Amino acid sequence: MSLSYGTILHFAAIVTTQVPTSSSLMPAHGSSDSLPSVLAFNLGHDGAVASLRDGRLVFSLEAEKDSHRRHLNLGADLFFDAICKAGRVPDVVAISGWRGGPVTARPSGPAYEGVEGHHATFTEIELFGTPTLLFRSTHERSHLFCSYGLSPFENREPCYALVWEGQIGSFYEINETLTIRKLKEVLRAPGYKYSFLFDLADPTRSVGGWRHDAAGKLMALAAYSSRGQVTRMEDSVIQRILTTVLPPTSSKAAFTDSPYFNCGVTDEVFTELVGKFSDRLFRIFYEYAKRHLTKGFPLLIAGGCGLNCEWNSLWRDSGLFRDVFVPPIANDSGAAVGTAIDAQFALSGRAKIGWDVYRGLEFQWDHEPDGFDVATLDVAALAGLLAADHIVAWVQGKYEIGPRALGNRSLLAAPFAESMTARLNGIKRREPYRPIAPVCVDEEAHRCFGVSDLSPYMLYFFKVRAPELRAVTHVDGSARVQTLSETANPRLYSLLCAFRERTGFGVLCNTSLNFPDRGFINRSSDLFAYAVAEGIDTVVVDDRVYTRAR
């Protein structure tokens, strides 16, 4: 069951009077040395709940995790889990906007867009009989504060920001007072336009609607394009989509006359178009940035398009910015975190938090496995199994925030044989044209992939330098690399080092541990049922190894 904004208001017993500036509950903006505790909600798709305490991210829980449907709205179970996990009434309950129109037109809830200070408001409420504050802010601001608050840049350091996602495609400037100024809406609905191209060619897709998985598939297909001269036919459909397609109300029905309509997504004529369309869309934003973002500030990237590794790599290599930062929760899974940071900033003047990617829930034991032998983890022995082409289901601690498996909910395998790519894609029920990403110890990153600045969140492409790594090399020679330090994930790091001792490469295939179209597995009943169904003989949970008995 999904929760509405009104349900949250009713549950919290809202007192609708606006907080006066003299209220004892609300410090003057930026005047308090203490940092408020915040419990924040994103009620839209990629629904999530996040908690801040003492300036640190305590947890970020996402509706899709624990084998729920991908991109799910916030549900009642997760809502009450978060209330219980918070442990006490927070200083602030924060809600990220998920409605169209200006704030003034929607007094019952925060809007989707708007960046000025008046788009963030406080109201006095009582939660379980305890006075606290309700903070309401826009979805647009949540993206900006998420990327700013998680970035490595100093508090109040001026930055440029790019938010590009389903609806929004805009550049911003954030000054030393953290005043946000929207510079330009460069292109409306870039994410919808990008995804629509895939749906246009997909004969299994109906003529209406929009789906969330198309963008990732299109990114994989772009590697099959020669990126040569754009033909007249290609230019015609590119221009038509960029100027007229505005999902979710648009429909394939308007494109039945296109030569790409239901042509099949692996058709060579279509895959040739994909790379050129991707380049054209990026170029629109690049040309604006080149002309107008000239102060040398670092660039923050937020929104679902921030998961496009090719575009992130182009921004990184553009030379336009002192640095580029993309958070691992660039998509809407970061909206709750961003709104929590927005609330913290409004009350304390601080828009930075302490965090790491392993801020989900602990693994849940709801069923003891049958038919598995158990032993203590020996990373050298496990490395031997991996070198012998075993696939390992790997579970450690809390699950990762965001959509990428970064070593706590992963399928691991040897990175050498092309057949391993096919095996993993078969287990995942993924199309054969989709690549498998590598995880690599920091020390091997330059030798194997040419990585110089490290890539801990699997958000950039690099060219594979070691021809032996065929299982993680895409058709264009690229790989979506996660680099790993010992401090970030000690147990996986030790396994990679043991694998390097045996094979000469501290690299493994790393793809997410999940059922098709579901979030990460997070309970034992699902994990061992998955292992049996998919023929996975080795399962690791923390420091225990479970091997199927024969």
Side-chain angles (χ1 to χ4, degrees):
M1 180 181 72
S2 297
L3 291 177
S4 67
Y5 180 80
T7 303
I8 301 289
L9 297 185
H10 179 73
F11 176 80
I14 297 301
V15 178
T16 57
T17 306
Q18 290 289 320
V19 175
T21 56
S22 60
S23 170
S24 61
L25 288 173
M26 184 171 176
H29 175 83
S31 66
S32 175
D33 292 331
S34 63
L35 296 174
S37 59
V38 185
L39 188 65
F41 299 88
N42 169 33
L43 304 179
H45 73 75
D46 293 324
V49 187
S51 172
L52 298 185
R53 190 177 301 157
D54 299 322
R56 298 195 63 82
L57 181 63
V58 179
F59 61 76
S60 179
L61 313 181
E62 298 161 33
E64 70 174 38
K65 302 293 172 65
D66 196 9
S67 301
H68 290 104
R69 182 169 51 83
R70 292 288 310 278
H71 309 293
L72 197 65
N73 286 14
L74 184 67
D77 288 347
L78 185 61
F79 173 75
F80 287 107
D81 280 349
I83 292 291
C84 295
K85 191 173 177 60
R88 65 183 187 187
V89 175
D91 298 323
V92 184
V93 175
I95 308 292
S96 173
W98 196 254
R99 298 178 180 226
V103 171
T104 53
R106 301 279 189 169
S108 62
Y112 193 90
E113 296 181 48
V115 299
E116 295 82 5
H118 67 270
H119 289 109
T121 62
F122 283 96
T123 306
E124 289 185 353
I125 68 171
E126 285 189 358
L127 185 59
F128 299 116
T130 301
T132 187
L133 293 172
L134 172 69
F135 178 78
R136 293 178 281 192
S137 188
T138 65
H139 184 75
E140 189 173 12
R141 282 176 65 97
S142 77
H143 277 313
L144 291 162
F145 275 91
C146 179
S147 58
Y148 191 94
L150 270 57
S151 74
F153 314 133
E154 292 296 323
N155 191 44
R156 299 186 179 275
E157 178 175 355
C159 294
Y160 291 123
L162 168 61
V163 175
W164 51 351
E165 45 123 76
Q167 294 188 39
I168 301 169
S170 300
F171 279 109
Y172 311 78
E173 184 175 325
I174 305 173
N175 69 12
E176 63 278 357
T177 67
L178 269 68
T179 299
I180 303 167
R181 180 166 66 97
K182 180 180 285 190
L183 299 175
K184 174 74 172 180
E185 181 180 75
V186 177
L187 181 69
R188 189 67 179 170
Y192 288 140
K193 294 176 190 294
Y194 184 75
S195 297
F196 179 82
L197 182 65
F198 185 93
D199 287 342
L200 174 62
D202 185 1
T204 69
R205 186 63 178 158
S206 65
V207 295
W210 176 75
R211 63 184 178 196
H212 299 290
D213 62 349
K217 296 178 181 182
L218 204 68
M219 184 174 71
L221 288 169
Y224 291 82
S225 174
S226 71
R227 313 295 179 104
Q229 184 70 32
V230 177
T231 67
R232 181 175 298 180
M233 184 173 73
E234 291 167 339
D235 185 67
S236 176
V237 73
I238 290 171
Q239 288 298 330
R240 190 172 171 186
I241 292 173
L242 291 178
T243 56
T244 65
V245 174
L246 289 171
T249 58
S250 66
S251 167
K252 278 177 66 173
F255 282 76
T256 54
D257 60 333
S258 169
Y260 299 99
F261 182 83
N262 288 346
C263 69
V265 297
T266 58
D267 184 279
E268 290 184 5
V269 175
F270 178 71
T271 57
E272 183 63 23
L273 168 68
V274 172
K276 298 173 184 178
F277 179 76
S278 178
D279 290 346
R280 180 77 63 84
L281 197 155
F282 175 84
R283 195 78 187 178
I284 292 170
F285 287 85
Y286 172 81
E287 291 296 339
Y288 177 85
K290 184 178 179 181
R291 290 194 303 271
H292 299 285
L293 308 188
T294 58
K295 297 180 181 178
F297 295 159
L299 176 68
L300 307 169
I301 297 176
C305 295
L307 298 178
N308 188 305
C309 297
E310 181 178 35
W311 290 342
N312 291 342
S313 302
L314 290 171
W315 287 122
R316 176 199 64 200
D317 299 335
S318 69
L320 300 179
F321 309 102
R322 180 178 64 76
D323 202 349
V324 174
F325 175 75
V326 190
I329 44 176
N331 66 338
D332 290 344
S333 66
V337 173
T339 298
I341 296 170
D342 194 0
Q344 176 185 280
F345 170 71
L347 290 175
S348 69
R350 182 162 182 82
K352 294 290 180 178
I353 63 170
W355 66 282
D356 62 64
V357 293
Y358 307 113
R359 293 289 95 194
L361 287 176
E362 295 279 0
F363 186 72
Q364 305 296 306
W365 282 96
D366 64 342
H367 175 75
E368 288 299 321
D370 297 321
F372 284 81
D373 298 325
V374 61
T376 301
L377 174 62
D378 179 337
V379 293
L382 187 62
L385 292 176
L386 287 162
D389 283 339
H390 284 236
I391 295 172
V392 174
W394 176 265
V395 173
Q396 298 292 314
K398 298 177 180 179
Y399 66 66
E400 301 90 330
I401 61 176
R404 303 271 162 84
L406 299 172
N408 274 15
R409 299 292 183 275
S410 294
L411 284 177
L412 302 177
F416 305 120
E418 290 182 16
S419 59
M420 184 60 75
T421 308
R423 286 177 62 191
L424 290 169
N425 276 337
I427 290 172
K428 302 269 292 177
R429 308 292 190 271
R430 299 197 328 167
E431 297 81 1
Y433 58 77
R434 299 183 69 178
I436 297 296
V439 59
C440 174
V441 292
D442 285 353
E443 298 87 341
E444 291 277 276
H446 188 267
R447 176 175 77 94
C448 294
F449 303 103
V451 179
S452 55
D453 295 329
L454 304 182
S455 177
Y457 310 126
M458 203 184 289
L459 290 168
Y460 296 96
F461 282 152
F462 299 89
K463 288 296 183 180
V464 180
R465 290 183 168 184
E468 296 89 344
L469 303 176
R470 293 181 295 277
V472 295
T473 304
H474 200 20
V475 65
D476 62 349
S478 69
R480 189 179 68 188
V481 181
Q482 177 198 357
T483 60
L484 192 75
S485 68
E486 184 174 12
T487 55
N489 195 320
R491 188 164 284 152
L492 180 56
Y493 180 88
S494 68
L495 176 61
L496 286 163
C497 289
F499 190 76
R500 180 174 57 182
E501 286 291 317
R502 182 173 290 269
T503 68
F505 290 91
V507 181
L508 287 169
C509 294
N510 174 27
T511 188
S512 56
L513 179 62
N514 61 287
F515 293 99
D517 301 316
R518 302 280 166 165
F520 300 158
I521 289 171
N522 202 51
R523 62 185 59 240
S524 60
S525 56
D526 287 340
L527 175 63
F528 290 99
Y530 180 86
V532 171
E534 302 302 339
I536 298 170
D537 292 331
T538 306
V539 176
V540 178
V541 181
D542 295 326
D543 62 350
R544 310 296 285 175
V545 179
Y546 297 82
T547 307
R548 289 175 68 182
R550 297 190 180 277

